[in-house]
Amino acid sequence: MTHAHPHGGDRRRRTRLLIGAVAAAAVAALLTVLLWPGGGDSGGTDTAATGSASARSAPTPSKSYPLSEPPRTIPAVREHEAARGPGWKPDGDGRVVVAKDDAKALADEGKLLAGELHLTYAEGAKPRSGDVVLAVTDAKGSGAKGSGPEAYELAVRDGQVRISGAAQAGVFYGTRTLKQIVRDDGTAPEGVVRDQPAKPQRGFMLDIARKHFTAGWIEERVRELADLKYNQLGLHFSDDQAFRIESSSHPEVVSQPHLTKAEVRRIVQLAQQLHITVIPEIDSPGHLGAVIKAHPDLQLKNASGVPARGAIDIANPDSAKIVDELLDEYTDLFPGAYWHLGSDEYQALMASNPGTSYPGLAQAAREKYGPDAGVQDLATGWLNDRADLMRSHDRKLKAWNDGFYRGGTVQAAKDIEVEYWTGKEIGAREPTEYLSADRDLVNLNDEYLYYVLGQPNDFTYPTGERIYRDWTPRVVRGTKPVDAKYDGQILGARFAVWCDLANSQTQDQIADGIRMPLRALAQKVWDSRQPALSWADFSKLARDLG
């Protein structure tokens, strides 16, 4: 009988074990390649704290993440550096952290964001995973392109969000971006957003003279504007129909109903907190019907004694006195950098022959500015005098484009910004006349940006789609853009609600009607390039964001 080698069974078992071990090692290696490729596909690596060779040779595979997509916001961010990782989403343990050194500048922004995202505000705390960190940095450290006061960087990495900018405004706009991201997707994508606006002036103008708006409604619009990164709110509060803010210097001119000064202070304070400048406008020397109603002796009349609607007699020193007293009164109520002087549609200059129709104005012009001066010089002098007054209050100045006249002996001060709204008025000048004279201009093109209640005088309600598809900041008059060389002089744009037929729409109807135009304009003044989204996709995003 033949006997097997006494150790043959052991060898076969060792051979089977060796083959099994090789196979297991091969499978492990394959899984490591699939789950943890070396090209950086992992969101990170788990290395043992000991750093031993054995620990390094057997890493635990971590989850693989695709490259992040840009966040979906209105306006869209201008630059997003994609990365791999889980992103960030708010949870109950998360905080908004502001360093002690930044608290004076950013406490309001931090508390606002914490409330909106249901996080805890933690001043001076050490940041940890799950937190949002707000920081003011120097221009170099912010990382935001251009590093202007409205530029910001929003970085999502290591389980945190860090929003930084060279100034408060930039950090605030970063918080608006994060708020929209969370509202849209719930999770901020991994990576870095670098963002800043194309235009420094992005605004909304509201005619509260022809139609009374409640303070609460205006405050709602301020919050809406802030989330869309607008930075200006114009209030046109005096016109032929009414004067709508409480006055202590001239209570006789105030209409019912009107906003109290306490209500206006709350509006202005809210706007300041949300980085919006409120720009008041007392239009003169036209559109002063409410003032004239209380002071009929100041009304301009032509050679036949016919009153000129809404026009004050600028040859009468008492006219300047009352307007200047009103301007002085409201400087404390409106502490912002800008003041709008109006100056449009002065009836004397809409006559075919102003000097013949209004000889008193013509005579006053010659006496003040010389034998060659005319009515337009007297009107320009009026504008310059009001500008001098408001300049003494450290205000930057604005006036409507039809308050700047061609030729003449007297020229409007060069620092008055042109608010270009119309090319439809008789004798209206092309935008290039102002731009070629090196004047700065803000775009209020009535073809796209005028929401006139009741749609009189061939106006139609503007649509967001038309603004989104066809308008850019260089489309100042009609539908044709000015030359690109003037882009730097076009400081921005404002969407305007005028209440010519005040009862045509309710406040709620107006809010609904301007909703998409405001979003379209926000996109085009933040980034005037062709938008990436189609109008249909943009509209859907607007609905998703609320």
Side-chain angles (χ1 to χ4, degrees), residues 204 221-230 233 276 518:
F204 171 61
R221 301 288 75 70
V222 169
R223 294 185 182 93
E224 179 182 14
L225 294 171
D227 281 353
L228 296 169
K229 302 186 176 80
Y230 282 93
L233 168 66
I276 292 173
L518 282 176

Side-chain angles (χ1 to χ4, degrees), residues 434-456:
Y434 306 93
L435 295 167
S436 62
D438 204 31
R439 288 191 179 275
D440 289 333
L441 179 151
V442 175
N443 187 334
L444 288 97
N445 185 342
D446 62 355
E447 180 77 20
Y448 293 91
L449 306 180
Y450 261 35
Y451 192 97
V452 184
L453 295 195
Q455 304 183 104

Side-chain angles (χ1 to χ4, degrees), residues 198-199 201 431 435 441-445 449 467 470-477 480-482 486-487 489-493 521 523-529:
K199 295 297 179 182
Q201 296 191 37
L435 295 167
L441 179 151
V442 175
N443 187 334
L444 288 97
N445 185 342
L449 306 180
I467 295 169
D470 301 334
W471 181 88
T472 72
R474 290 197 291 115
V475 180
V476 180
R477 173 176 176 167
K480 183 180 178 181
V482 300
Y486 295 122
D487 187 70
Q489 291 172 247
I490 300 171
L491 303 179
L521 180 62
Q523 175 61 45
K524 301 301 280 288
V525 288
W526 191 266
D527 187 348
S528 53
R529 299 173 297 183

Side-chain angles (χ1 to χ4, degrees), residues 192-372:
V192 181
V193 167
R194 298 182 182 90
D195 204 13
Q196 67 172 343
K199 295 297 179 182
Q201 296 191 37
R202 307 174 303 281
F204 171 61
M205 199 231 73
L206 183 63
D207 173 11
I208 65 172
R210 294 179 178 89
K211 183 181 181 71
H212 174 68
F213 291 84
T214 64
W217 189 92
I218 296 171
E219 290 169 1
E220 288 175 6
R221 301 288 75 70
V222 169
R223 294 185 182 93
E224 179 182 14
L225 294 171
D227 281 353
L228 296 169
K229 302 186 176 80
Y230 282 93
N231 62 3
Q232 292 179 346
L233 168 66
L235 292 180
H236 175 91
F237 66 93
S238 170
D239 214 298
D240 295 340
Q241 293 79 0
F243 192 104
R244 297 283 189 187
I245 295 179
E246 174 189 352
S247 172
S248 56
S249 67
H250 287 282
E252 74 280 1
V253 307
V254 179
S255 307
Q256 297 294 339
H258 63 266
L259 294 173
T260 67
K261 286 187 175 180
E263 289 174 320
V264 174
R265 287 190 189 96
R266 288 198 298 271
I267 292 168
V268 171
Q269 183 179 22
L270 175 64
Q272 287 175 326
Q273 291 170 348
L274 300 178
H275 297 274
I276 292 173
T277 298
V278 179
I279 304 175
E281 180 192 356
I282 299 177
D283 203 345
S284 78
H287 293 282
L288 281 171
V291 172
I292 291 168
K293 183 178 180 181
H295 297 272
D297 55 309
L298 301 182
Q299 183 154 36
L300 178 67
K301 297 177 181 178
N302 68 11
S304 302
V306 177
R309 183 174 183 267
I312 205 165
D313 183 357
I314 58 177
N316 185 340
D318 289 339
S319 296
K321 182 175 183 293
I322 190 171
V323 169
D324 288 352
E325 286 170 351
L326 289 167
L327 292 173
D328 273 328
E329 176 183 354
Y330 290 106
T331 53
D332 288 338
L333 189 62
F334 295 102
Y338 286 95
W339 198 281
H340 202 306
L341 296 169
S343 197
D344 64 312
E345 296 182 319
Y346 187 48
Q347 291 297 312
L349 288 167
M350 299 177 78
S352 58
N353 190 326
T356 300
S357 297
Y358 298 94
L361 297 182
Q363 178 63 29
R366 289 191 294 271
E367 290 174 358
K368 189 169 185 178
Y369 298 113
D372 295 329

